[in-house]
Amino acid sequence: MDLELMINSFPKLLNAAVITLKLLSVSLLIGLFIGLFFAILRLNKNTFINRFAYGYSYIFRGTPLLVQIFIIYFGLGQIEYLRSTVLWVILKEPYWCAIIAFALNTGAYTSEILRSAFQTIKPGIIEAGKSLGISNKVIFHKIQIPIAIRQSLPAYGNEIILMMKGTSLASTVTIMDLTGVAKYIISTTFKPIEVFIVAGGIYLFMTFIIHNLIKFLEKKYSFN
């Protein structure tokens, strides 16, 4: 076991973890809005709208994240029309292609998590708001959304952790995130075990932080 390599690799991998956290945070932020939007569509009684939202969720939950990244990064770049539009400014960058793939993927899972949370809200709570003369819009924004977010915290916490680990696939499109830098160090030292132990330890630490943050939020916003 090369301890010197592990010690020397740690600062480089720690700096690369910042890129991983940026990928994660931006993807989750965009994915949360996407998920809320499609969760609302899933609750719509219109069959076409409901099926459309379900189709989005089914496609992105039913296909591997790696395939989605490749389609967005390699596939869209082969469409001649896109290269002549302003979209190409974004699609030509590996970083933003990864963000798009991650956001769409986590958005699909988030939509199902929020949809389930909305459906568990007791009708009596909504009826009580209406009896007080509160409009449906206010009930939705001030009552239903906060309750749904609280009830979805455990499942959404798992989604955050899964997405954090999923960001390691960004290295497949040349992004030097935590996994990307680990691969580069291994290619020059030919010692994968030592490097991946350090990288794995950093991933484990980030998981520990996220897990405890979600537990803190669960206790803070508990209804009990």
Side-chain angles (χ1 to χ4, degrees):
M1 189 71 70
D2 192 339
L3 293 178
E4 184 179 357
L5 173 62
M6 296 174 72
I7 294 172
N8 292 334
S9 298
F10 180 74
K12 298 176 183 177
L13 293 172
L14 197 59
N15 288 333
V18 175
I19 303 299
T20 293
L21 291 175
K22 286 181 179 179
L23 287 169
L24 176 65
S25 57
V26 176
S27 300
L28 288 175
L29 180 61
I30 299 173
L32 184 60
F33 284 103
I34 294 174
L36 179 59
F37 175 72
F38 278 95
I40 294 172
L41 294 186
R42 284 296 307 276
L43 298 173
N44 196 293
K45 295 181 180 180
N46 184 290
T47 303
F48 175 77
I49 294 176
N50 188 287
R51 291 290 98 185
F52 169 72
Y54 174 76
Y56 158 75
S57 173
Y58 183 82
I59 290 172
F60 281 93
R61 290 187 301 121
T63 55
L65 178 56
L66 182 60
V67 172
Q68 296 165 20
I69 294 172
F70 283 170
I71 289 176
I72 293 173
Y73 181 64
F74 295 110
L76 295 182
Q78 296 180 8
I79 301 175
E80 293 290 339
Y81 172 74
L82 289 178
R83 294 184 181 182
S84 60
T85 66
V86 293
L87 292 175
W88 185 241
V89 176
I90 296 174
L91 295 175
K92 70 178 182 179
E93 297 293 336
Y95 180 84
W96 290 110
C97 286
I99 289 290
I100 293 170
F102 294 152
L104 290 173
N105 183 273
T106 191
Y109 284 97
T110 302
S111 69
E112 291 300 311
I113 292 171
L114 292 175
R115 177 192 61 81
S116 177
F118 277 125
Q119 291 180 333
T120 60
I121 297 176
K122 296 180 180 179
I125 296 176
I126 300 173
E127 292 173 2
K130 291 181 178 179
S131 67
L132 295 173
I134 303 174
S135 66
N136 290 332
K137 184 177 180 180
V138 174
I139 290 174
F140 181 74
H141 286 92
K142 299 294 185 179
I143 299 176
Q144 289 180 273
I145 288 183
I147 292 176
I149 290 175
R150 167 59 188 88
Q151 292 180 340
S152 64
L153 273 176
Y156 189 63
N158 290 332
E159 171 58 19
I160 293 174
I161 293 173
L162 289 173
M163 181 48 57
M164 183 200 67
K165 292 184 286 187
T167 58
S168 62
L169 295 175
S171 62
T172 60
V173 289
T174 72
I175 296 177
M176 298 302 284
D177 66 327
L178 179 54
T179 301
V181 171
K183 289 180 178 179
Y184 174 76
I185 296 173
I186 291 169
S187 69
T188 58
T189 61
F190 304 101
K191 294 183 178 180
I193 294 178
E194 290 88 340
V195 178
F196 276 135
I197 285 176
V198 177
I202 295 174
Y203 275 117
L204 188 62
F205 178 73
M206 291 191 293
T207 300
F208 173 81
I209 296 298
I210 294 171
H211 174 73
N212 283 279
L213 178 60
I214 294 298
K215 285 182 65 177
F216 169 77
L217 292 175
E218 285 182 49
K219 290 180 180 179
K220 183 176 181 180
Y221 296 106
S222 175
F223 297 135
N224 297 324

